[in-house]
Every structure is written in structure tokens, then in C-alpha cells.
Amino acid sequence: MRDPQTEAPAPPPPARAPADAPAARHSRAPLLLLIAVLLTAALAGVLWLDARERISATQQELARRLRDIETNASEARSVARQSQDALRDAQVKIGQLEARLAESQSQQLALEALYQELSRNRDEWQLAEIEQVLAIAQQQLQLSGNVRAGLLALQLAEARLARADRPQFLPVRRALARDIERLKALPAIDLAGMSMRIDGLVAAVDAMPLAFDERGERTGTANGAPKDAGASPERGFWSRLGSEVWSELRQLVVVRHVDKPEPPLLPPSQAYFLRENLRLRLLNARLSLLIRDEAGYREDLRAAQAWIRRYFDPRAKHTVDALAQLKQLSSTTLSFEMPMITESLEAVRGFKSRRERTPG
């Protein structure tokens, strides 16, 4: 063989050069095609493997998600069943509650009706009691003129209506307030104090000395003075005899002042009846005071003063005190127009009649 390195290549013939080039290109074309086919096949295989892996991963993901969906669906069905059960229980409970509510409403209506009835009865009882109290106070004012009792009755009725605090009682309360103001405007007379003072005078009748008793004491003292003087051992027989004769002569002639009459002589029995009659006069005066009979009251006090001045000792302390108290009692005025509480009574009765006409 020839060494290619030592042997120089022969120059190609100039005329055949263009024909060899297409032959070389034709010899390399299958090789390139094969290479391209192989590359395409490799690329396709790689793509197929990648797609297969992706499809497998996708299938796995889909399977996982389907499992998750099935799990969620089963849980949802379980929750739905529980919700349905809870809904049924709630509906049952709601039905029970509605039944209880209806029962409670019926009981409430019954209780309201009962309360209305009790309230109506209580108001009627209260108004009946107030009417009775006002009627008694009206009788006290008419018979004895007891203003204090009438005022207390009106204030009691107003306080009870105020505690009730019902707007329908306002007309009655206004009528009570007007009657209270009318009674408060009356002149204040302490009937109880005056009655107690008269009772004190009745009790002091026995302590007042009679004028006859006082005169007897003065006469006894005047007659006893010469006897005491005559009993003195220092005077002689003739002096005692002269004093006794002079005393007898003085008793034979009595000089009296006719401008001032002497108190009448009363035996013990008449003195007892005098004190009892004086007590009766004072008790009659107290009775006239309580029934506000001013004429009888003044007449009894005047008669009591006249008897005390005539039959009792005017200088004794008990007598002076009794006359002073009788003078003060006589200066009190009892006669004034007594107001009536008919407005309050009419308001209460009118309210009761309106309630009786209005049902419910």
C-alpha cells in the first residue's frame, strides 16, 4: 500500500471536478437523514416519557383528588345527615316551644284577666272603705262639729289613694284636697284642751272653800280673842268680868253693811248639793262644748261663775284660779259655719257608679 503521507496526491483533472461534488453531497444526505431521524426518535421518546410521567402524575393527582372528593363528599353526607337530624330535633323542640309558648300565652291571658278582676275588686274595696270613712267624718262634722276627725279622715283617704298611684283616682284626690284646705282654713279650737280644763275645774270643786265657812272662821277668831285675853293670869277678876260683859253687849247689837250682801248660810246637806250642782253645770258646759252649742256653753259657764262668786270664798286661791279659767273659757268663740265634705263623698260615689257601669 502507498503511504498517503509520503505520496503526494495527484491533482484532479480539471474537467471532472464539478461532477464529484454532487456525489459527495448525495453520500452525506442519508447519514444526515439518519441522524435527524434518530434525534427525532430520541426527542419523541423523551417527550413520550415526559408525557407519560406527567400523565401518570396527573392520574395520581386526579386519583388523590377523587379520593379527597369522595372523602369530603362522605363527610358532607355525614354532616348533612347530622344537620338533618339536628334540624328534625330543632323542629321538634321548636314545636314543643311553640306549644309551651301558646300555653304560656293562654296562662298569661288568664293571669291578666285574674289580675284585672283582683285589681278591680281591690279598687272597689278601697273605695268602699274610703266612702265609709268619709261618711263617718261627715256625721262627726254634722253632729259634733269635730273638725279634727273630719280632717284626719280626709288625709287618710288621700294618703291611701296616693299609695295606689292610679291616674283614674285624680278627680277624687282633687276633691279631697279641696275639702282638706277648707277644713284647715277653719279657726283652730282646742276642744280636747278646753274639755280637760273643764274636767280640772270639776275636780277642783271640793277644794274651793265656801264663803260661809270663811265668815264662821273670822267670827270665831274675833270671839276667841277676848277669851284668850281673859284667860291671862295677869288680869284680875274685875277685868275678866268687864271683858265678858262687853263681849255679850257686842253680840246683842250687830252692825252690817247693806251695800255688800253677806253669803247665805248653808247647812252641810245644802253645801253638798251646791257642789254637786256646780259640777253638773260644768259637765253640761263640757257637753255643750263638744257638740258646739255655744249658747248652752256660755249659759252654763255664766251660771257657774255666778255660783262661785256668791257661795264660795272669792279670796281663796282655788276660787280665784277657777274664776280666771272660767273667764278664759267664756272668751272662746264656738259658732262658725261648719263646712261639709260632700264634694269628696260625691266624687267617690260618682267614681264607683262609673266603674259599675263600665264592664271590664
Side-chain angles (χ1 to χ4, degrees):
M1 294 181 66
R2 297 181 180 176
D3 190 1
Q5 294 179 356
T6 60
E7 188 177 358
R16 297 180 61 183
D20 292 335
R25 290 195 293 270
H26 283 294
S27 62
R28 289 195 295 270
L31 180 60
L32 294 174
L33 181 61
L34 179 61
I35 292 171
V37 170
L38 292 174
L39 290 175
T40 302
L43 180 60
V46 171
L47 292 175
W48 178 77
L49 290 174
D50 182 63
R52 185 177 179 180
E53 291 178 357
R54 289 185 179 180
I55 290 172
S56 177
T58 303
Q59 290 177 350
Q60 292 177 0
E61 181 68 21
L62 289 175
R64 185 183 62 80
R65 291 188 178 181
L66 286 174
R67 288 192 300 269
D68 293 340
I69 290 172
E70 290 178 357
T71 304
N72 293 333
S74 63
E75 292 178 355
R77 285 192 295 271
S78 176
V79 171
R81 284 194 298 271
Q82 293 177 0
S83 299
Q84 290 177 357
D85 295 338
L87 179 60
R88 284 193 295 271
D89 295 340
Q91 288 177 350
V92 172
K93 291 181 179 179
I94 289 173
Q96 294 176 356
L97 290 175
E98 288 178 351
R100 291 182 181 178
L101 179 60
E103 184 180 358
S104 299
Q105 289 177 350
S106 62
Q107 290 178 357
Q108 183 179 1
L109 292 175
L111 289 175
E112 287 180 356
L114 181 60
Y115 175 76
Q116 293 293 335
E117 185 66 22
L118 290 176
S119 177
R120 182 181 181 89
N121 292 336
R122 184 180 62 183
D123 292 343
E124 290 177 357
W125 295 337
Q126 190 171 11
L127 289 172
E129 291 177 357
I130 291 174
E131 182 184 5
Q132 186 67 24
V133 170
L134 294 179
I136 294 174
Q138 178 82 328
Q139 293 177 0
Q140 289 289 326
L141 289 173
Q142 290 177 348
L143 297 178
S144 62
N146 193 346
V147 180
R148 181 175 178 81
L151 186 60
L152 288 176
L154 290 172
Q155 291 175 345
L156 175 63
E158 204 281 332
R160 297 190 66 173
L161 293 179
R163 283 197 302 269
D165 194 16
R166 295 181 180 273
Q168 58 266 29
F169 290 156
L170 287 178
V172 180
R173 293 181 63 186
R174 283 195 290 267
L176 290 172
R178 286 191 292 268
D179 284 338
I180 289 174
E181 292 300 325
R182 278 195 289 269
L183 290 183
K184 285 183 177 180
L186 295 176
I189 299 177
D190 188 9
L191 295 179
M194 296 173 66
S195 178
M196 291 177 62
R197 293 174 65 181
I198 294 176
D199 288 339
L201 291 174
V202 172
V205 169
D206 290 332
M208 291 187 297
L210 295 172
F212 172 74
D213 297 337
E214 182 66 18
R215 189 184 70 173
E217 292 177 0
R218 291 200 303 269
T219 305
T221 303
N223 293 334
K227 293 179 181 179
D228 293 340
S232 176
E234 297 180 356
R235 302 186 62 178
F237 170 77
W238 296 105
S239 298
R240 291 196 303 271
L241 180 61
S243 298
E244 292 176 0
V245 171
W246 176 249
S247 176
E248 293 295 333
L249 290 176
R250 287 183 59 185
Q251 291 181 4
L252 292 176
V253 179
V254 178
V255 179
R256 295 181 178 177
H257 299 282
V258 296
D259 56 343
K260 184 178 181 181
E262 288 291 333
L265 302 178
L266 296 176
S269 60
Q270 292 186 4
Y272 169 77
F273 287 114
L274 171 64
R275 295 182 188 275
E276 292 300 320
N277 288 330
L278 180 59
R279 286 194 184 91
L280 290 176
R281 278 290 187 176
L282 293 174
L283 292 175
N284 287 334
R286 188 185 66 173
L287 180 60
S288 300
L289 171 67
L290 294 177
I291 64 175
R292 292 182 179 273
D293 181 10
E294 187 169 3
Y297 171 76
R298 293 188 180 280
E299 176 62 24
D300 290 328
L301 291 183
R302 186 195 62 77
Q305 287 176 329
W307 288 1
I308 291 175
R309 289 192 185 98
R310 181 178 181 185
Y311 296 106
F312 292 87
D313 182 15
R315 293 178 297 177
K317 182 178 182 302
H318 292 288
T319 307
V320 173
D321 294 340
L323 290 174
Q325 292 190 30
L326 288 173
K327 184 177 181 181
Q328 292 178 359
L329 292 172
S330 300
S331 62
T332 304
T333 301
L334 302 179
S335 60
F336 52 85
E337 185 178 358
M338 183 64 61
M340 296 291 104
I341 56 175
T342 54
E343 184 178 359
S344 298
L345 273 173
E346 291 176 357
V348 173
R349 290 168 180 169
F351 185 82
K352 285 182 61 179
S353 63
R354 287 192 299 271
R355 283 182 65 91
E356 292 174 356
R357 288 195 302 267
T358 304

